[in-house]
Amino acid sequence: FGCGAIGLGVIATSQLVGASRIIAIDTNPSKAAWARKFGATDFVNPTTLPEGKKIQEFLVELTDGGLDYTFDCTGNVG
């Protein structure tokens, strides 16, 4: 969660250690390209989900059960 400097570092490190799927999540759509350059396989902007759909529900569906690890790298918690 979060694709700023810290989030991009987590993405790059996840790729280095062999993560097969790296889902980047950020409310700023312009960060999608950077996330992919650093190794993200997917990018999700939670503000564009269907009305009433929570990010948690979306991720469980996207991954067919849930995530092994998550990292909170958000700067804006609003």
Side-chain angles (χ1 to χ4, degrees):
F1 293 85
C3 294
I6 302 300
L8 293 175
V10 169
I11 291 168
T13 303
S14 298
Q15 183 183 41
L16 283 172
V17 298
S20 59
R21 190 167 189 190
I22 303 168
I23 304 169
I25 303 164
D26 202 289
T27 58
N28 183 343
S30 69
K31 293 185 178 180
W34 280 106
R36 291 190 191 282
K37 285 180 186 177
F38 276 74
T41 57
D42 301 84
F43 182 86
V44 178
N45 180 342
T47 64
T48 63
L49 296 178
E51 189 170 335
K53 176 76 82 171
K54 293 183 178 184
I55 186 67
Q56 298 90 332
E57 296 172 61
F58 180 81
L59 292 172
V60 168
E61 291 172 7
L62 180 68
T63 59
D64 194 28
L67 303 158
D68 292 327
Y69 300 95
T70 62
F71 300 88
D72 184 354
C73 305
T74 55
N76 178 358
V77 294

